[in-house]
Amino acid sequence: MCRKQRRACKRPGTSALSESTEALLAMLAGEADGVSLPRLCKRLGLRMSVLLRELAWIGEDAIGGHTGPGWVRVEMRGETQVAVLTERGRERLRTGGGEQRD
């Protein structure tokens, strides 16, 4: 079993990111209406559980009392979950920087 390791990002103000974070953000940036979670799994070569953890880590919700950076949001559209890049996520891609989790 191959696991993507979280790596410390050398950019100021950025916490440890997984190797799939940049690819995920870039993929969502190219899709204004978002991408369904199953399609993201296929394109990124990730299991759904790994994708869900990644989305939780970079999303808007708090984990263990620590607020996420809010780069992505998951919406329900009918019975389909769709990941959408937020304005904060677009700004992160433009600046190349990030925000640490509290």
Side-chain angles (χ1 to χ4, degrees):
M1 172 169 66
C2 177
R3 292 189 183 188
K4 303 272 183 181
Q5 296 293 319
R6 291 206 179 270
R7 59 181 164 75
C9 184
K10 295 184 182 353
R11 290 185 214 116
T14 303
S15 60
L17 301 174
S18 78
E19 295 174 4
S20 58
T21 301
E22 298 295 333
L24 173 59
L25 293 174
M27 186 171 296
L28 291 176
E31 303 285 343
D33 292 330
V35 181
S36 72
L37 300 193
R39 181 166 290 171
L40 278 174
C41 286
K42 184 159 183 99
R43 289 184 182 174
L44 295 171
L46 299 174
R47 294 186 316 241
M48 183 63 77
S49 61
V50 174
L51 177 64
L52 289 172
R53 280 193 302 271
E54 188 71 32
L55 290 170
W57 181 254
I58 63 175
E60 298 172 317
D61 296 333
I63 299 175
H66 299 282
T67 305
W71 298 334
V72 296
R73 174 179 63 249
V74 177
E75 303 174 350
M76 286 298 295
R77 296 190 186 156
E79 294 185 18
T80 304
Q81 290 183 305
V82 177
V84 179
L85 191 65
T86 64
E87 189 54 42
R88 290 178 99 182
R90 291 186 194 289
E91 180 64 25
R92 189 215 177 271
L93 287 173
R94 278 193 296 273
T95 63
E99 298 176 21
Q100 290 181 317
R101 294 185 73 85
D102 295 334

